[in-house]
Amino acid sequence: MAKRLTLALAVLFFVITGALPVLSMLFRSIYIDGHFGLESYRGLMSSSHQWLLMRNSLALSSLVTLLTVAAGVPLGILLGKTDLPYRRLLTLLFVIPLLIPAYIIAVSWSGLLGHWETAGRWLFGLPGCVLVLFSVFLPVPMLLTMVFLRTINPELEQAGRLVSNWRGVLRGITLPLILPGIGLAALLVFVLSFGEFGVPNFLRFAVYPVESFTQFAAFYNFRAATAAALPLAAVTLILLWLEASWLRDKTWRVRPVAGAGRAPLIELGSHRLWLFVVVVCGALVFAVIPIVVLLFQSTGAYAEAFSRAGASLLRSLAYSAFGASLLVVLGFLIGYLVYTQPNRYGRAVDSLTFFLFALPGTVIGIGLISLWNTPWTNLVYATPLIILFGYLAKYTALTSRITVSQLAQISPSMEQAAEIAGAGWFRRMLFIVAPLAWRGLLAGWLVAYIFTLRDTGITMLVYPPGHETLPVRIFTLMANGTPQLIAALCVIMIVATLLPAGLLWSLLIRKNPGVGR
Amino acid sequence: MNRDIFRSWMLLLGVPGLMMIGCEQQSSVQTVTVYVSEDQVFSEPVLRDFERDTGIRVKAVYDTEEAKSTGAMNRLIAEKANPQADVYWANEPIRAEVLKQQGIASPYQSPNAQNIPPAFRDAQGYWTGFSARARVLLVNRGVKEQPASILAYADPRWKGRSVIANPLFGTTTSEIAALFTLWGDQKAQAFMEALKKNRVAVSTSNGESADFVAAGRYDFSLVDSDDAVNRMRQGKPVDMVYPDQGEGQMGTFIVPNAVVLIKGAPHPNLAKQLIDYLLSRETERKLAFADCAQIPLHPGVEMPPELKPIQSIKTMPVDYAEIARKMLQVQPYLREWAGL
């Protein structure tokens, strides 16, 4: 009873924070002046501007997906399966752009290339967006390749080596076995680039999330904004269907095989040096140079940056830390439900979390305002609760998926034994399951913290007066703020992201030396 | 074991929760809420000075560049039945006038508004203007003979050599709407069509237009005077021209900031204090010397040498209330013109 009630309440809470705002927004777009109608959607597909937006959005996401997978998979193999020197250090360097907000990388590249007219012109548009998002999302296929490589039984490759060289083994055994991981990486990169708001907005490239934001923020037209969001929702549903029908069962219970750490490394031989140089150059260009540029540009502007944004920084840290904790709790309950009830209900809840994750933050933000902007709900609308609700709506998928993969690694007999001994559900969760899953919970907290800290799509629309976060402040100061000030704020944002991430990561490694290898 | 688990949960929820409460803790300090369309980088120091001078805390919502300076106004409209703001600091009077027409503004005659010319304030006190921008031509120094009128946009001599910010947004919309009120629909539409024929480029913002001219991609653009002064102070090879100053010409379009008391404001008395502060000579002096370089409307306020006193500029004779009404009417035409 306690279990059912708690899980049902968790789902209900998620529906109220996540699904209801989107439904409210949809309702307001078709219920006009006391009657139902589709006026808002008329002309949606007849306008050439809509087709341009769709073409731009698809071109950007497809190019970024194609390029990151093409480069990320070989990079993952090089860093996860060969004797390339300094593999861990290089892995860490490549991961840095993923941890910091993408628009900061865009600010940095514009600071670097903006001095040359041709390069600056090239940066502002599709090529610049592709460059920035490529460097930000490259670690996704790289890391997933490395993770899935650890799920391959080394004996399969060893057997292959008896009859073929490494190239043949990679082509015939390794790559086919990690194909679901590559598919998941491609899907994730596509979803993240399709919903990306900050980079195309900064680099002035017209895509749907920017259009939806502009329609709402510039005209406050719920109906037009909802209509502009409809194609986004349609593409999101297609991606959800792809994920559910092809990838979900193959990817959500990833478990490293025993002895994966002892799998033989590919010896690069004479190729070792030039491959090392290429990888180091990649790390320098995509991870080190953008940060160095910001450091140089920001010299002398830190006092002003702290004076202007100190309070926003503290707020960002507090909202993200608390939001991440709530996400861990909600994600744990929903993940538990999805894992223990692999039926229609469980799948529907899982699909809803993924749908909201894939939906651009601007759309969720508009939905939240549409639902909560009334004199009776100011407890939510006029307080930071609305920001937290936005975080829960968008990012629960992250913590619930991490919970599912963590629960898959815990033997069900542990919980069953406690149940036979008479322990109630709460006690089992609190004293058996949660402690056994603590690494997953901590990793989930870290991922949730990073995503909520960098959020702009939701926060920029819904923040109540006097509650703006650091990313919002960076965006509002971009209008006529000096490049030095913006660079200093970006550096502060990077430190605010990397410092807690580094501390928790080192805690994870210290408690479990297997992590990170 | 139990203690370890208790500690873990405290660490997970308790510490971040306390951080959150710490950030939100309200002291007994009085608070006024203001929505601001003026760039944060310029408006925030003024609001901070107000906090320092009065001890009243200011909670602000700022517009972003992407919301085209209309986000705050539209948020006020959306919150009509649930007002959160006390004051609106608009970066142009048209938005303030829209609020008046929508029943969101409340009248207030500030004692500090007495010396502001009547052309720049609402007669009933629904909004009051201060610190203005002029709509100027920013011209690249490489151009031999500088344009002196906005009609240069339609002159074949400048075919493909000029740029204008998207007329659907910001001060460009206001100026186009002003031309519609001044010339009538037929002449104004003919002018807009002439712009198309003359291959005038459309940028996303006045700032981008100014950058294009500074980089030499185009010869001139109509921008706000703060964009122009900003590029001049950066040492870019550009000049600022106040257009249409000659005999018989229509004059330069002036865009003052405007401040509005919100109807149903949660803190009306504090709101009036803030409005008085914004309309003071001292605030105008600060905004003149800031990088936004805005022209004071009070007579005799000190200002930097790049600026002309408002009395020495031939200003476009317009009624901002009429422009606000016209702006709503011409939106569909402008959308069509811009291909949206």
Side-chain angles (χ1 to χ4, degrees):
Chain A
M1 183 62 189
K3 174 182 165 182
R4 268 195 189 175
L5 189 67
T6 311
L7 296 181
L9 282 176
V11 172
L12 182 70
F13 183 62
F14 181 67
V15 167
I16 290 172
T17 54
L20 218 53
V22 177
L23 288 175
S24 148
M25 178 180 157
L26 205 62
F27 177 78
R28 284 181 65 161
S29 73
I30 54 171
Y31 190 71
I32 305 159
D33 299 330
H35 70 279
F36 288 96
L38 292 173
E39 286 90 332
S40 319
Y41 297 91
R42 250 173 232 145
L44 186 63
M45 286 298 129
S46 58
S47 149
S48 60
H49 183 63
Q50 294 294 327
W51 289 111
L52 174 83
L53 289 171
M54 181 55 88
R55 197 190 65 201
N56 285 355
S57 291
L58 288 176
L60 177 63
S61 320
S62 308
L63 276 171
V64 173
T65 307
L66 205 71
L67 292 173
T68 48
V69 171
V73 174
L75 189 61
I77 292 173
L78 273 174
L79 296 172
K81 205 166 179 60
T82 70
D83 62 349
L84 199 78
Y86 301 108
R87 293 193 304 281
R88 281 177 75 166
L89 176 67
L90 287 168
T91 307
L92 271 177
L93 283 178
F94 274 108
V95 169
I96 288 174
L98 182 65
L99 300 182
I100 56 185
Y103 62 82
I104 288 182
I105 308 281
V107 170
S108 172
W109 278 108
S110 98
L112 185 68
L113 299 180
H115 300 294
W116 295 284
E117 199 203 328
T118 315
R121 208 181 297 178
W122 177 83
L123 185 71
F124 282 83
L126 179 64
C129 288
V130 171
L131 168 77
V132 172
L133 293 182
F134 170 78
S135 67
V136 170
F137 296 135
L138 179 65
V140 175
M142 180 194 89
L143 287 175
L144 280 172
T145 301
M146 291 168 77
V147 168
F148 274 77
L149 282 174
R150 290 170 66 83
T151 65
I152 299 173
N153 186 340
E155 286 171 9
L156 285 174
E157 288 176 332
Q158 282 158 2
R161 285 284 285 129
L162 295 175
V163 293
S164 175
N165 58 15
W166 265 114
R167 194 173 296 175
V169 171
L170 284 175
R171 211 172 31 231
I173 297 173
T174 314
L175 281 175
L177 285 173
I178 64 167
L179 206 56
I182 297 172
L184 181 66
L187 189 79
L188 274 177
V189 172
F190 193 93
V191 164
L192 291 169
S193 348
F194 197 76
E196 174 64 30
F197 161 74
V199 173
N201 180 49
F202 180 75
L203 295 178
R204 297 164 193 160
F205 186 58
V207 289
Y208 266 116
V210 176
E211 170 74 2
S212 186
F213 176 85
T214 308
Q215 279 293 341
F216 185 68
F219 302 113
Y220 240 75
N221 187 338
F222 273 99
R223 291 171 196 145
T226 309
L230 195 72
L232 287 172
V235 173
T236 305
L237 281 172
I238 295 171
L239 294 174
L240 178 67
W241 172 76
L242 273 177
E243 193 265 352
S245 56
W246 187 56
L247 289 171
R248 194 173 299 176
D249 291 336
K250 298 184 183 106
T251 55
W252 76 353
R253 294 173 194 191
V254 178
R255 194 188 305 195
V257 293
R262 295 191 301 277
L265 290 179
I266 302 171
E267 288 172 13
L268 295 170
S270 59
H271 299 296
R272 197 166 178 242
L273 183 64
W274 74 264
L275 280 170
F276 177 66
V277 171
V278 169
V279 174
V280 167
C281 286
L284 283 176
V285 170
F286 295 120
V288 179
I289 289 179
I291 293 177
V292 171
V293 168
L294 286 174
L295 284 171
F296 268 108
Q297 216 175 11
S298 59
T299 319
Y302 286 96
E304 191 190 351
F306 275 110
S307 117
R308 277 187 179 265
S312 303
L313 171 65
L314 290 178
R315 262 194 297 274
S316 266
L317 293 174
Y319 295 175
S320 297
F322 194 56
S325 296
L326 291 178
L327 278 163
V328 165
V329 175
L330 187 65
F332 177 80
L333 292 172
I334 287 184
Y336 183 87
L337 178 131
V338 170
Y339 180 71
T340 53
Q341 296 186 32
N343 50 21
R344 248 187 220 177
Y345 175 52
R347 280 173 183 267
V349 173
D350 185 53
S351 298
L352 181 63
T353 62
F354 186 80
F355 174 73
L356 290 170
F357 174 66
L359 209 57
T362 47
V363 178
I364 292 175
I366 296 166
L368 284 166
I369 294 171
S370 154
L371 182 67
W372 297 108
N373 177 19
T374 73
W376 308 279
T377 49
N378 274 336
L379 179 66
V380 175
Y381 183 69
T383 68
L385 268 183
I386 195 161
I387 299 176
L388 293 176
F389 277 20
Y391 292 164
L392 291 175
K394 185 153 173 71
Y395 301 117
T396 296
L398 295 171
T399 46
S400 74
R401 289 287 171 104
I402 289 172
T403 302
V404 168
S405 85
Q406 193 65 33
L407 290 177
Q409 294 176 44
I410 298 171
S411 168
S413 60
M414 308 290 269
E415 197 190 332
Q416 286 159 3
E419 192 177 2
I420 291 165
W425 185 74
F426 276 121
R427 284 182 71 82
R428 297 202 303 274
M429 288 301 103
L430 212 57
F431 295 106
I432 306 288
V433 181
L436 285 172
W438 79 269
R439 264 195 307 121
L441 295 180
L442 205 57
W445 191 93
L446 194 57
V447 170
Y449 172 80
I450 289 167
F451 272 82
T452 51
L453 190 69
R454 63 197 281 179
D455 180 83
T456 48
I458 299 171
T459 324
M460 196 131 74
L461 281 175
V462 305
Y463 79 94
H467 296 282
E468 80 281 17
T469 58
L470 185 57
V472 170
R473 185 144 279 230
I474 293 175
F475 261 80
T476 50
L477 281 170
M478 271 177 187
N480 283 321
T482 62
Q484 291 83 356
L485 173 66
I486 303 301
L489 289 169
C490 288
V491 171
I492 292 170
M493 184 75 197
I494 292 172
V495 174
T497 311
L498 293 187
L499 205 62
L503 285 174
L504 277 183
W505 185 249
S506 65
L507 185 71
L508 274 170
I509 288 180
R510 207 180 57 198
K511 293 263 180 179
N512 185 337
V515 177
R517 279 193 191 154
Chain B
M1 175 75 170
N2 280 4
R3 195 181 294 168
D4 281 353
I5 286 171
F6 177 74
R7 270 193 208 148
S8 306
W9 284 102
M10 276 307 293
L11 210 62
L12 181 70
L13 284 170
V15 174
L18 284 175
M19 278 168 73
M20 183 109 183
I21 291 165
C23 273
E24 298 313 314
Q25 206 164 34
Q26 301 290 324
S27 58
S28 55
V29 175
Q30 292 180 303
T31 302
V32 62
T33 299
V34 56
Y35 286 10
V36 188
S37 294
E38 178 59 58
D39 289 343
Q40 182 180 5
V41 73
F42 307 131
S43 53
E44 194 177 34
V46 174
L47 296 175
R48 285 207 169 176
D49 288 350
F50 172 77
E51 286 186 321
R52 191 197 56 214
D53 295 348
T54 62
I56 299 168
R57 192 178 156 224
V58 177
K59 290 206 285 188
V61 166
Y62 296 97
D63 253 338
T64 62
E65 186 83 352
E66 297 69 35
K68 313 293 178 192
S69 305
T70 56
M73 177 197 78
N74 287 316
R75 191 163 169 167
L76 285 163
I77 294 171
E79 290 172 354
K80 185 179 178 181
N82 183 30
Q84 305 290 316
D86 299 300
V87 175
Y88 176 42
W89 175 348
N91 63 352
E92 56 166 316
I94 317 297
R95 318 285 174 208
E97 190 56 48
V98 169
L99 291 188
K100 176 190 168 188
Q101 290 169 15
Q102 298 245 0
I104 291 161
S106 189
Y108 173 57
Q109 302 278 8
S110 166
N112 286 350
Q114 282 171 358
N115 290 327
I116 290 172
F120 301 123
R121 57 188 156 99
D122 178 66
Q124 296 155 296
Y126 280 94
W127 60 265
T128 310
F130 65 106
S131 297
R133 288 170 289 170
R135 292 282 295 165
V136 297
L137 291 173
L138 187 70
V139 187
N140 190 286
R141 281 210 193 114
V143 174
K144 280 181 190 159
E145 199 181 327
Q146 293 186 332
S149 164
I150 65 165
L151 295 176
Y153 271 118
D155 186 341
R157 207 177 117 205
W158 305 99
K159 192 166 192 167
R161 296 302 311 154
S162 63
V163 59
I164 191 166
N166 191 335
L168 271 174
F169 301 114
T171 45
T172 313
T173 321
S174 309
E175 182 154 16
I176 301 291
L179 294 178
F180 271 77
T181 64
L182 204 65
W183 289 341
D185 289 5
Q186 208 176 357
K187 188 178 171 187
Q189 283 193 14
F191 175 68
M192 293 302 288
E193 297 311 315
L195 258 62
K196 261 192 178 169
K197 275 194 195 136
N198 221 23
R199 298 214 317 262
V200 173
V202 177
S203 69
T204 58
S205 65
N206 289 311
E208 189 179 51
S209 292
D211 287 337
F212 284 159
V213 173
R217 273 176 74 176
Y218 296 98
D219 289 342
F220 72 90
S221 178
L222 196 57
V223 297
D224 298 336
S225 50
D226 56 347
D227 295 309
V229 171
N230 193 277
R231 270 52 179 195
M232 288 159 71
R233 286 181 182 170
Q234 286 172 13
K236 305 282 185 192
V238 287
D239 288 319
M240 179 165 73
V241 175
Y242 289 85
D244 299 297
Q245 293 294 294
E247 189 67 37
Q249 288 186 307
M250 63 185 167
T252 296
F253 185 55
I254 300 295
V255 190
N257 283 274
V259 65
V260 178
L261 174 66
I262 299 301
K263 192 175 176 182
H267 313 100
N269 292 330
L270 300 179
K272 286 173 185 170
Q273 279 193 57
L274 176 58
I275 291 173
D276 294 345
Y277 190 87
L278 292 178
L279 296 177
S280 67
R281 293 169 62 88
E282 182 54 22
T283 298
E284 285 210 310
R285 194 191 68 80
K286 282 177 195 164
L287 289 171
F289 281 95
D291 280 346
C292 57
Q294 295 182 342
I295 305 161
L297 298 182
H298 280 288
V301 174
E302 197 188 352
M303 69 177 90
E306 299 101 322
L307 296 179
K308 270 188 180 182
I310 192 75
Q311 296 78 7
S312 64
I313 302 170
K314 182 179 183 182
T315 59
M316 195 186 280
V318 288
D319 175 355
Y320 294 104
E322 203 186 333
I323 295 174
R325 279 188 289 273
K326 187 52 96 176
M327 199 170 73
L328 293 175
Q329 283 173 22
V330 299
Q331 283 276 359
Y333 169 74
L334 291 178
R335 275 178 172 270
E336 200 185 319
W337 187 91
L340 296 179

